[in-house]
Amino acid sequence: MPEKYVIHTTTAPNRFKAVSRSGIIAWEEGCLRCAVCVKERCVYDVYYKRKLDPRQMIDSIDNLCMNCLRCVQGCPKELITKSLNPEYKEMGDDFFTPEIISKLWSQAETGKIPVSGAGYPGPFSGPGFDSMWTDMSEIVRPTRDGIHGREYISTAIDLGRTIKSLRFDDSGALLAETPLLVDIPLPILLKVPPFGAISDKTLLGWAMAAKRLGTLLALKIDDVEKLPDQFRPWLVPVLEEDLTDPAIIPVGVRIVEIPWSSRFEKSAKIIKDTFPSMLVCVNIAMMDGMEEKAVSVADAGLDIIHLELGRYSEKEPETYDPRRVKDAIRSVHMKLVETNIRDEVTLVASGGFAMAEHVAKGMICGADAVMAEFQLLIGLQCRMCRRCATGLSCPVDIQDASAKWVAARVVNLFGAWHNQLIELMGAMGIRDARRLRGEVGRAMFFEDLDKVAFGSLGSAGEGFELE
Amino acid sequence: MRYNNSRTLALFYCQNVPGAGERERIGLEKKYGLSIRFFPIACSGRLEPVHLLSALENFADAAYVITCPQGMCRYFEGNLRAIKRVRRTQDIIAGIGLERERVGIVTGLKEDPKTLAEHAEEIFDKTLQMGRSPVLDKGEANYDHCATEAH
Ligand code: SF4
């Protein structure tokens, strides 16, 4: 049994005060000057620890408040109210919602699984991964002594091709060559996001995090030179055009990503001829025809398919819809299964994974691993405001953060995700992440349930709620 | 950071002011750069003198509040209370020798509501006409005593 994989986390405090969900509106006018004011009775001493951060005009009473509402209910003149913070409401987008962003911040700060309280008040189903439920029937017998107890749940996966069958000669020696594999202890690869207030320090921090986590960081080939050589084994240089000159491939990397094009096989051949032990990953955009392209990559004997949700563009933000990812992965996975070549290639998906549960769901849909990109920024307190993409300065000066802090935040974030993944797998009765791939029997899909239960009555779309 | 020969305005605005969404705010940030610092607030009644004074102390030549029209506050009296608090802040700064108009409040009109961009332009013009704040005559923003330190 391999050594147990544990991600060591340490608190990495916020550099800027977090934008709080709600704010206290406390009116002094009309105060009765009660002998004991509700503010004095605050169990968290919120009103007495009050400080103002003038850079962001963030009042500590909003961050320290635990929303017990004792002051709101207790003031006899009803002078205290709580309201949603407009700055919070405006954060992110439909996919990276303010709730998700603030949970990612807290995981990156503490490395701990966020606790959201009792019960789930949200809608029954929603778009994307929210229309998919994992089967937690094994939760009645959870891992006996906690997620880091004696029972070993492995989150390790292999990147690369596997051969269809093993053949031996008369002496029992293996006939076929064993394909090369890169195994990583976490089914999550990191990827430099397409926008962000990113400096060389940020890149270094992400590379340090990839190394510490034992995973890989995909980045533009030109950025590889900005990092010390010692990080090469944990980097995946990404080429944006067909390869003609193998000399541009940095020595020491184990995987190279090339774009899908009519000439992708030529690029791959150049790499394999020059670096026989290097794995080739082919990037395919999630769009029409992706299934056939995936089959062509597997047929060409290449190692990894990176199924990427299109790039976010400021000009056409509406074309970027991470909720498509679930169906795209299923469709490509099923095509490879039908063509009987699924096991010969690794499928990595990127673009639509905002929470730890999405990793497991993406794998159930058919991905072997996922790539996280915007999470790397959000872990550094990014608000997904996209000011950097328009040339404005970053409200949280991400570019100035030290590499050490960047690495600690990212390790914390994925440490928390790793713990959640183990919880999920334990509750599903799955002990090995490799077994999660395509395991649709462990999930229920709203569309399918809807069809079975109400098909004869007509159909309700995703997000449908009873009044 | 402050630009030399320029002014910095701290602009607090109620979220119900028309055109006060994030997109519009980013558009205004592009137009004014760091000369206007925008602070959306749930209700103008949330502001206290300490917010305005802190802005003047740390980075702003002027600090203004834009409220929703009278009678339209979703907390009923928020904008009325904001008016009183701004007056109180004006008294405080006058007491230490600063011009009263370095702090101000603008209330929207129900029948002719102005957008955030229109308000910002008018208030910023007013700020440009003021001299630089003597409080900031060292020229750079001072966050040395900030509640949160950057690591
Ligand atoms: S906070 Fe805004 S400006 Fe800074 S990196 Fe994130 S999206 Fe870009």
Side-chain angles (χ1 to χ4, degrees):
Chain A
M1 180 161 348
E3 201 187 318
K4 206 165 214 178
Y5 175 64
V6 179
I7 299 175
H8 297 283
T9 58
T10 42
T11 305
N14 290 332
R15 294 169 64 240
F16 286 76
K17 285 223 180 288
V19 178
S20 58
R21 182 172 186 274
S22 56
I24 294 175
I25 302 178
W27 291 341
E28 299 297 333
E29 299 88 353
C31 172
L32 296 173
R33 308 267 173 250
C34 304
V36 183
C37 173
V38 280
K39 292 181 185 174
E40 282 172 40
R41 278 188 273 148
C42 171
V43 286
Y44 303 104
D45 272 350
V46 163
Y47 294 94
Y48 286 95
K49 291 183 188 156
R50 188 167 185 186
K51 276 188 187 158
L52 183 71
D53 175 355
R55 272 184 303 185
Q56 308 169 85
M57 282 294 157
I58 291 184
D59 203 324
S60 69
I61 52 173
D62 299 335
N63 293 82
L64 297 174
C65 172
M66 295 289 170
N67 291 313
C68 72
L69 302 185
R70 280 173 57 145
C71 55
V72 174
Q73 289 174 334
C75 175
K77 282 279 277 181
E78 297 178 356
L79 294 176
I80 303 176
T81 323
K82 283 221 76 171
S83 69
L84 269 185
N85 178 359
E87 194 124 43
Y88 178 89
K89 279 194 289 182
E90 297 281 4
M91 279 197 313
D93 49 40
D94 291 349
F95 185 65
F96 284 105
T97 60
E99 287 74 22
I100 288 179
I101 291 176
S102 59
K103 277 190 186 146
L104 293 175
W105 287 346
S106 111
Q107 292 171 75
E109 184 180 19
T110 62
K112 294 188 176 132
I113 300 177
V115 180
S116 47
Y120 169 68
F124 189 53
S125 170
F129 285 123
D130 286 346
S131 68
M132 185 179 167
W133 305 300
T134 45
D135 173 359
M136 301 285 203
S137 51
E138 298 278 327
I139 207 160
V140 290
R141 194 195 64 80
T143 46
R144 271 165 244 140
D145 42 5
I147 55 171
H148 295 300
R150 282 160 295 173
E151 250 176 300
Y152 186 31
I153 298 180
S154 167
T155 52
I157 55 122
D158 306 309
L159 299 168
R161 308 180 62 223
T162 46
I163 40 179
K164 265 188 180 164
S165 55
L166 295 176
R167 285 190 297 119
F168 301 89
D169 64 15
D170 294 340
S171 65
L174 196 57
L175 276 175
E177 253 181 59
T178 346
L180 294 155
L181 292 173
V182 170
D183 57 333
I184 52 173
L186 189 68
I188 304 168
L189 291 84
L190 315 182
K191 179 173 167 238
V192 173
F195 65 77
I198 302 167
S199 67
D200 291 357
K201 284 190 279 187
T202 327
L203 278 182
L204 178 59
W206 286 336
M208 286 160 67
K211 185 177 175 189
R212 224 181 282 169
L213 293 165
T215 185
L216 296 148
L217 170 70
L219 74 179
K220 279 192 198 139
I221 192 159
D222 298 340
D223 286 343
V224 174
E225 294 302 324
K226 295 178 184 165
L227 295 166
D229 291 352
Q230 66 181 95
F231 291 105
R232 294 272 171 94
W234 288 276
L235 303 181
V236 178
V238 177
L239 274 76
E240 301 212 322
E241 284 166 10
D242 292 325
L243 179 74
T244 47
D245 178 10
I248 66 163
I249 306 277
V251 176
V253 300
R254 296 179 285 172
I255 304 176
V256 172
E257 180 173 309
I258 58 173
W260 193 92
S261 76
S262 53
R263 288 172 35 86
F264 81 89
E265 283 186 76
K266 274 193 187 151
S267 301
K269 186 168 181 318
I270 295 172
I271 297 169
K272 292 276 183 188
D273 287 349
T274 324
F275 304 99
S277 61
M278 198 172 281
L279 302 188
V280 175
C281 170
V282 182
N283 180 306
I284 297 176
M286 281 183 204
M287 53 171 64
D288 289 348
M290 59 190 166
E291 297 85 355
E292 285 68 31
K293 288 177 189 168
V295 170
S296 70
V297 171
D299 276 343
L302 296 180
D303 312 282
I304 306 166
I305 295 168
H306 171 197
L307 192 60
E308 186 182 29
L309 178 75
R311 299 273 161 85
Y312 173 84
S313 124
E314 255 320 297
K315 283 188 197 128
E316 297 171 291
E318 63 287 347
T319 58
Y320 179 79
D321 182 3
R323 290 168 294 197
R324 289 192 281 128
V325 171
K326 180 195 82 176
D327 298 326
I329 301 173
R330 282 191 91 182
S331 169
V332 170
H333 169 74
M334 286 316 296
K335 183 74 182 180
L336 292 169
V337 170
E338 285 157 18
T339 325
N340 290 325
I341 44 175
R342 179 62 190 92
D343 280 334
E344 287 170 48
V345 70
T346 305
L347 181 62
V348 179
S350 74
F353 307 92
M355 298 193 282
E357 67 170 72
H358 294 170
V359 177
K361 288 178 173 178
M363 292 174 80
I364 289 173
C365 286
D368 292 278
V370 307
M371 269 194 198
E373 51 177 354
F374 291 121
Q375 299 82 348
L376 304 196
L377 268 184
I378 297 173
L380 311 181
Q381 291 198 275
C382 168
R383 300 171 182 184
M384 292 295 279
C385 66
R386 298 188 169 93
R387 278 178 173 74
C388 50
T390 63
L392 286 171
S393 60
C394 172
V396 286
D397 295 338
I398 284 179
Q399 72 285 347
D400 297 334
S402 72
K404 213 172 137 200
W405 183 82
V406 170
R409 297 279 296 199
V410 173
V411 168
N412 280 353
L413 176 57
F414 293 108
W417 278 32
H418 177 240
N419 286 344
Q420 288 168 81
L421 203 54
I422 297 179
E423 291 260 22
L424 256 164
M425 287 168 59
M428 281 192 275
I430 288 184
R431 301 276 175 270
D432 187 336
R434 296 177 185 92
R435 275 199 49 216
L436 205 53
R437 187 195 76 192
E439 189 49 277
V440 283
R442 297 282 174 177
M444 291 174 280
F445 294 84
F446 174 77
E447 307 88 271
D448 300 344
L449 297 178
D450 186 46
K451 209 183 289 169
V452 171
F454 304 111
S456 56
L457 304 174
S459 70
E462 279 189 353
F464 175 80
E465 277 182 79
L466 287 176
E467 293 196 352
Chain B
M1 184 180 64
R2 275 160 45 89
Y3 292 128
N4 284 341
N5 305 322
S6 166
R7 307 283 178 273
T8 306
L9 167 67
L11 199 55
F12 300 86
Y13 56 96
C14 164
Q15 60 177 333
N16 299 325
V17 170
E22 182 73 356
R23 290 267 143 219
E24 291 93 337
R25 174 179 163 186
I26 289 179
L28 291 170
E29 283 177 5
K30 274 190 200 156
K31 180 172 171 189
Y32 293 101
L34 295 176
S35 300
I36 304 187
R37 301 273 310 275
F38 293 90
F39 299 107
I41 41 180
C43 170
S44 55
R46 146 146 189 136
L47 267 195
E48 294 177 28
V50 64
H51 297 108
L52 301 163
L53 292 171
S54 177
L56 291 180
E57 182 193 358
N58 289 288
F59 63 87
D61 295 287
Y64 272 71
V65 188
I66 308 173
T67 74
C68 48
Q70 285 197 15
M72 288 181 72
C73 173
R74 73 162 70 169
Y75 298 95
F76 305 114
E77 297 172 20
N79 44 16
L80 301 177
R81 288 171 194 264
I83 292 170
K84 286 186 194 157
R85 288 168 185 190
V86 168
R87 301 277 172 264
R88 209 181 324 144
T89 316
Q90 286 175 328
D91 292 344
I92 296 170
I93 64 166
I96 58 162
L98 276 182
E99 305 96 306
R100 299 180 75 87
E101 61 270 21
R102 290 204 181 268
V103 170
I105 187 159
V106 178
T107 309
L109 292 174
K110 215 185 287 185
E111 47 294 340
D112 179 23
K114 280 189 190 160
T115 62
L116 175 64
E118 290 166 329
H119 281 303
E121 190 172 349
E122 279 176 20
I123 301 170
F124 190 59
D125 281 349
K126 211 192 269 186
T127 311
L128 285 176
Q129 284 155 28
M130 296 174 200
R132 289 186 60 190
S133 167
V135 179
L136 302 171
D137 58 7
K138 288 205 183 81
E140 290 295 322
N142 173 17
Y143 295 121
D144 290 349
H145 54 288
C146 283
T148 319
E149 289 292 333
H151 290 257

